[in-house]
Amino acid sequence: MTLPPVVAPIVEGHGEVQAVRELITRIAAEFCGTWTDVAPAFRLDSGKMRRPDELAKAVRVQAERVKGPGGVLVLRDGDDSDIQCPVELARQLAPEPNLVPVPVEIVIARHEYEAWFLAAADSLRSHPAVHNNASAPADPEARRGAKSQLESMMCESYKETLHQAKFSALIDLHAAKEKSRSFRRMVHAVEGLLRKAPR
């Protein structure tokens, strides 16, 4: 029997625990034309993610959940004040190459996960908390403060645990991919994990 691919995520925010499942499932269906199982997310705050021993422990736990194709996806915001380049932060977070027998992908949302919502803000208008004139800025990743920019398009306060999964289920993924470089990286990371065979 062929095992379905499994993506085992590691995230930093409480809202991302539910949101990442929605996002990965949709990316697999819309960009890869396949279904994937998403393991329960392992939450590790941003400080612990920058500690190699803590991140390695989380990667080993999540790798155990991948018995066939698939791998571990580490997702976090790139809002560290000392880091200007998401690629550099991803390089710092990358675990030792042979730590686990499954592929590991690192994705850094520039500056925040919510910048991906900004990139596809027009598609959130159907949500009752979002104004009908919500519109994606020209460069959604240009500056910090994506949550406050998003909140300015809403008629209530933005709360990660309340809105993040619902918005992840609604956004136009193709619009987000077109306007957000870090979301394109997210799509490519999921595509890569689904195509790679176990080591």
Side-chain angles (χ1 to χ4, degrees):
M1 184 178 76
T2 304
L3 293 171
V6 175
V7 177
I10 298 172
V11 299
E12 67 173 336
H14 289 282
E16 289 159 10
V17 170
Q18 294 301 320
V20 75
R21 170 183 294 277
E22 188 70 45
L23 201 57
I24 292 170
T25 302
R26 289 190 61 205
I27 289 171
E30 294 187 29
F31 293 98
C32 307
T34 189
W35 177 85
T36 185
D37 191 7
V38 181
F42 188 112
R43 197 182 79 79
L44 200 62
D45 67 42
S46 59
K48 288 184 177 177
M49 269 203 197
R50 291 184 72 168
R51 288 182 49 186
D53 58 330
E54 293 284 353
L55 183 56
K57 191 187 310 178
V59 168
R60 283 195 291 268
V61 169
Q62 290 300 77
E64 283 295 313
R65 299 176 187 270
V66 183
K67 303 300 183 189
V72 176
L73 176 76
V74 180
L75 170 63
R76 65 159 290 188
D77 290 346
D79 55 355
D80 303 57
S81 59
D82 63 327
I83 297 288
Q84 296 300 317
C85 175
V87 175
E88 175 59 27
L89 180 55
R91 192 173 295 125
Q92 289 183 16
L93 295 178
E96 294 295 324
N98 297 316
L99 177 68
V100 290
V102 301
V104 179
E105 292 280 354
I106 310 286
V107 176
I108 308 296
R110 180 179 179 84
H111 303 279
E112 298 165 272
Y113 187 111
E114 284 76 8
W116 298 344
F117 297 149
L118 289 179
D122 306 49
S123 60
L124 294 177
R125 293 175 184 173
S126 60
H127 191 282
V130 178
H131 294 306
N132 289 333
N133 61 354
S135 182
D139 185 353
E141 299 182 309
R143 58 190 176 96
R144 297 176 191 275
K147 289 187 181 75
S148 60
Q149 291 182 69
L150 182 64
E151 197 166 84
S152 72
M153 301 177 187
M154 298 174 61
C155 51
E156 62 188 46
S157 298
Y158 175 76
K159 294 184 174 65
E160 292 95 331
T161 52
L162 180 62
H163 297 109
Q164 200 163 358
K166 292 175 183 172
F167 287 0
S168 295
L170 267 183
I171 58 166
D172 181 334
L173 300 183
H174 293 272
K177 184 182 177 189
E178 182 181 328
K179 296 199 80 170
S180 165
R181 185 177 177 185
S182 69
F183 189 73
R184 284 196 291 278
R185 167 70 187 120
M186 175 70 173
V187 171
H188 292 154
V190 173
E191 289 174 335
L193 290 177
L194 297 184
R195 289 178 182 145
K196 287 177 186 170
R199 290 182 199 159

